[in-house]
Amino acid sequence: SISTSNAVRKVVPDFILAKLNGRFNKTSETQPTSDKNKPSFDLLRASVNLVTASVLISIATSWKLPLSTTYVTFMVAMGTSFGDGAWGRESAVYRISGVISVIGGWFLTAFAAFTAAFVFAILIIYGGAFAIIALLAVAIIFVIKTHSLHRKKQSGESTTEIAGKDSELMQSDILQRNSENIIQTLASVSKAYNDTLEGLLEEDRQKLKQSNKDIEELNVNVQVLKDNIYMTINSLREDFIETGHYHVQVLDYMREMARCLSYISTPAFNHIDNNHKGLNLVQIEEFQKVRVSIYNLFNDILPRLRELKFDDIQPIIDSQKEIIDYISELNRKQVKRIKQGEAGTKNSLLYFGILSETKNLLLHTISLFKAQRDFIRYNKIL
């Protein structure tokens, strides 16, 4: 529908489009000075809904048609909201979903119930007791199979396997793998954040879908590391025990970073998947600057972690503060856009949500970096 609309706009003259759009412009009406006498558009829509639905139901009843009053009223409301321009990319997907749900709830489920009842009745009539026993067996198998799949999904087999491997590792292996896990996780976080924002700015549904899968996998891996913390700490030497809490903090920060990514990627994917109106050019430029800044910050942190260079971290802290200050500035700009009517509800919720979780991601990243620095230093690994 969106592609068709864009194609039509290219061939229809501008003055016709302007005239059509003017039909939906409420501000073009003569507005009295008194609020009491202003045109009541909601009252007008409600009146049309009531009269149209009543007329249709009355005619159908007089003709003895099996008509659903709920369905008629629902579809009349959809028609009036479409007629006065209330259908936009902010809400169209939910209206269409509602129509399909209502129609599907009656026709599809009715057809499925009719067919299933017919098949079962035929089997029982011609199969007798054997058919009844077979149907019961099939039902039991379905119940057992469903329960088995649920238990398998909820089981912690992967966590148990990884925990068993930890107990066989040497002390140096544990510390090395701990450092590798941190570096790998931060690299994955940087890539996932970058891909998510790129997908959102380009309105690339496929890229956002893949980014969601990557972040979901990252969450699972980080949770496995956190669940495995007992075996890891238990394998540390006695002189490492006093600093083991730094390792716990690192895992906590990694878990929170993965959650922040989920809170960014899921709303972004849903926004594009539901075909809501994308970000405007100004917002795209703002997010591009945020994306590049965070990408550069991670590129500064990762080499330090690999080379164990923690001497001067002030440039990293300054970069974090600069990005956070810029995020605060963007929040103020978005508030102004809302006041001026330049941003819709869905757009604003997505915008504020991404900025908020980006700020949390930055805070957890620097905290993780400091915790890993303290763990390395106090254990005299440097």
Side-chain angles (χ1 to χ4, degrees):
S1 298
I2 293 173
S3 299
T4 303
S5 175
N6 293 334
V8 171
R9 286 177 180 273
K10 292 180 180 179
V11 298
V12 175
D14 292 338
F15 74 92
I16 295 180
L17 291 177
K19 188 172 183 60
L20 291 175
N21 290 331
R23 301 292 296 173
F24 302 108
N25 186 12
K26 297 179 180 180
T27 59
S28 63
E29 301 292 339
T30 303
Q31 298 288 343
T33 56
S34 174
D35 292 339
K36 182 179 179 180
N37 297 322
K38 285 184 178 181
S40 301
F41 292 98
D42 292 334
L43 181 60
L44 174 61
R45 183 193 300 178
S47 301
V48 173
N49 287 348
L50 178 62
V51 173
T52 306
S54 300
V55 170
L56 290 175
I57 293 171
S58 299
I59 294 175
T61 303
S62 65
W63 289 351
K64 300 181 180 179
L65 296 177
L67 186 68
S68 170
T69 57
T70 303
Y71 180 70
V72 172
T73 306
F74 176 79
M75 294 308 297
V76 166
M78 290 297 98
T80 52
S81 62
F82 183 79
D84 63 11
W87 282 54
R89 292 182 65 175
E90 295 280 333
S91 60
V93 63
Y94 305 112
R95 298 178 186 275
I96 295 173
S97 298
V99 173
I100 294 176
S101 297
V102 172
I103 297 176
W106 287 330
F107 292 97
L108 297 182
T109 56
F111 178 77
F114 175 85
T115 304
F118 171 75
V119 172
F120 286 173
I122 291 295
L123 291 176
I124 294 174
I125 289 174
Y126 290 99
F130 294 103
I132 295 175
I133 294 174
L135 291 175
L136 289 175
V138 171
I140 294 173
I141 291 173
F142 271 109
V143 172
I144 295 175
K145 186 68 175 177
T146 303
H147 183 65
S148 176
L149 291 174
H150 179 72
R151 288 184 59 186
K152 184 178 180 180
K153 183 178 180 180
Q154 297 296 328
S155 65
E157 294 176 355
S158 58
T159 304
T160 305
E161 292 176 1
I162 295 176
K165 292 179 181 179
D166 272 344
S167 61
E168 300 173 0
L169 292 174
M170 299 297 292
Q171 182 72 25
S172 59
D173 294 332
I174 294 176
L175 296 175
Q176 180 180 358
R177 202 181 75 170
N178 170 53
S179 179
E180 292 175 353
N181 286 334
I182 295 172
I183 294 172
Q184 183 179 359
T185 300
L186 285 182
S188 299
V189 168
S190 176
K191 181 179 183 303
Y193 183 86
N194 190 71
D195 290 346
T196 299
L197 279 194
E198 280 189 350
L200 174 63
L201 301 183
E202 298 170 1
E203 297 189 32
D204 189 335
R205 179 184 178 279
Q206 195 59 37
K207 178 176 284 190
L208 284 172
K209 184 177 181 180
Q210 183 60 47
S211 180
N212 258 343
K213 291 181 179 179
D214 294 340
I215 292 173
E216 183 178 353
E217 182 179 350
L218 176 63
N219 270 279
V220 172
N221 293 337
V222 173
Q223 186 60 47
V224 168
L225 293 174
K226 189 171 177 61
D227 293 340
N228 191 36
I229 191 171
Y230 174 80
M231 294 301 298
T232 302
I233 294 180
N234 195 42
S235 301
L236 294 174
R237 294 197 311 261
E238 289 296 330
D239 53 344
F240 281 82
I241 300 302
E242 294 299 326
T243 58
H245 65 280
Y246 289 118
H247 178 64
V248 177
Q249 289 179 348
V250 168
L251 294 180
D252 285 339
Y253 292 135
M254 289 169 60
R255 184 76 184 98
E256 293 302 321
M257 291 171 66
R259 286 178 177 173
C260 288
L261 287 177
S262 296
Y263 297 149
I264 292 174
S265 65
T266 301
F269 174 76
N270 291 336
H271 190 87
I272 300 301
D273 189 44
N274 289 329
N275 290 299
H276 292 314
K277 189 175 182 180
L279 303 176
N280 59 42
L281 293 178
V282 175
Q283 292 173 325
I284 290 176
E285 293 178 359
E286 293 169 349
F287 271 138
Q288 281 285 18
K289 185 175 180 180
V290 173
R291 182 185 65 82
V292 172
S293 299
I294 292 181
Y295 182 78
N296 293 335
L297 178 64
F298 274 95
N299 283 344
D300 191 13
I301 292 176
L302 287 171
R304 292 172 180 264
L305 290 173
R306 292 191 185 97
E307 301 169 9
L308 302 181
K309 292 183 178 179
F310 303 102
D311 296 331
D312 184 16
I313 66 171
Q314 191 59 41
I316 294 179
I317 296 177
D318 292 340
S319 297
Q320 179 214 35
K321 184 178 183 303
E322 182 180 346
I323 299 174
I324 291 178
D325 291 341
Y326 182 62
I327 289 175
S328 299
E329 180 184 348
L330 295 185
N331 281 324
R332 290 191 293 269
K333 289 183 178 180
Q334 182 67 10
V335 170
K336 291 181 180 178
R337 283 192 284 263
I338 293 175
K339 289 291 187 180
Q340 296 171 359
E342 299 176 0
T345 303
K346 298 294 182 183
N347 178 287
S348 300
L349 290 176
L350 179 67
Y351 191 90
F352 286 134
I354 292 179
L355 290 181
S356 176
E357 294 303 328
T358 298
K359 180 179 178 180
N360 293 334
L361 180 65
L362 288 170
L363 296 174
H364 294 314
T365 300
I366 300 301
S367 298
L368 181 148
F369 183 77
K370 291 180 179 179
Q372 179 66 2
R373 175 201 61 184
D374 295 339
F375 181 73
I376 297 297
R377 281 183 171 176
Y378 292 142
N379 286 306
K380 301 178 181 179
I381 299 176
L382 289 177

